[in-house]
Amino acid sequence: MLDDLQLFVRIVDAGSLNAASRVLEMPAATLSRRLQALERRLGCRLLHRSARRMELTAEGGQYYEHCRPLLAALQQQTESLGTALNQVKGVLRVLSPLSLGNDLLVPVWRRMLQRYPELRLELRLNNAIDDLFSGMADLALRVGEQPDSRLNQRLLGWVRTLLVASPAYLAERGEPGAPEALANHALLLAEPFERWRLWRAADGAESELPPASLQVNDMLLPRRLAEAGAGVAVCPHSLCHAQLRDGSLRQLLPEWEMAPRPVYAVWPQRRHVPARVRALLDALTEFAEAEPLLARPACV
């Protein structure tokens, strides 16, 4: 019915069936037939028409005055939606763990801002699993397997988790030679590592972590405390790579690590994914493919 309503407005705007036929490139007979079908559905005549003249009826005039602005608003909204779906602009809301969003992915945020000046990024950085279906965000980055079948997902890479400590701490307390020796050290843990186990890729052996001296919901604090000589931190490689490179931290028990965890981009299933979301997915994929810290471990 919406198509016939649009035809009715176009006929009135054109002034006659023949004029509308030329504008719409549609036979006048087809326009007349569809107009009659619309009148039957509405139960009233909209136009008085003859070979020479066409006039609105009282009902037709009232219907036209109500429908024309509605159709114009619908057209405007359709064009606006098309812009949102096909142009990288507007607000892009993203959820990300602190350890990724505040460090490793900084080049991705910079690239998006440089490439798309009409885009506004809203980043919510925390380690909680926020609801993507509430409209809070367009896309989320998550570490670990994602069982929710309602979400589209793209595997970006893998995160290794290491044991690290400062040279000063190791000089004072000694370096553990086996996982059991960690019980004699101050272990610094962040969620969700409190229930994790060490794993040795060579033979698949496992060893449970001892109770922690510190447990916190921010992965950055254990690394900073380890740098300050407070203990042994369980830390994602993506968060301590610079410190390992400059020597302010050293990796302990290199043959023992947490099991590598996958990193996914996830977003709600929908028929049309907005261009701003597609652009971010492309930027994340491009970055992850070139980033050694996200490379797939040989043991996976």
Side-chain angles (χ1 to χ4, degrees), residues 162-165 186-189 222-226 231-235 249 252:
L162 317 177
L163 295 168
V164 297
L187 193 62
L188 313 173
L189 287 174
R223 191 205 75 190
R224 287 178 169 170
L225 286 170
V232 176
V234 179
C235 188
L249 288 175
L252 310 181

Side-chain angles (χ1 to χ4, degrees), residues 8 12 44-47 55-68:
F8 164 66
V12 176
C44 65
R45 180 176 282 271
L46 299 173
L47 292 169
E55 293 181 353
L56 283 164
T57 65
E59 293 82 4
Q62 184 179 19
Y63 197 52
Y64 173 80
E65 293 299 328
H66 280 85
C67 293
R68 193 172 190 277

Side-chain angles (χ1 to χ4, degrees), residues 79-115:
E79 292 173 356
S80 176
L81 179 60
T83 297
L85 289 174
N86 298 300
Q87 295 186 27
V88 184
K89 61 191 303 185
V91 179
L92 177 59
R93 298 178 176 89
V94 184
L95 308 176
S96 173
L98 276 164
S99 58
L100 287 176
N102 235 355
D103 188 287
L104 187 63
L105 295 179
V106 168
V108 175
W109 314 138
R110 182 181 67 244
R111 186 178 310 177
M112 291 293 293
L113 293 172
Q114 290 175 341
R115 287 183 180 177

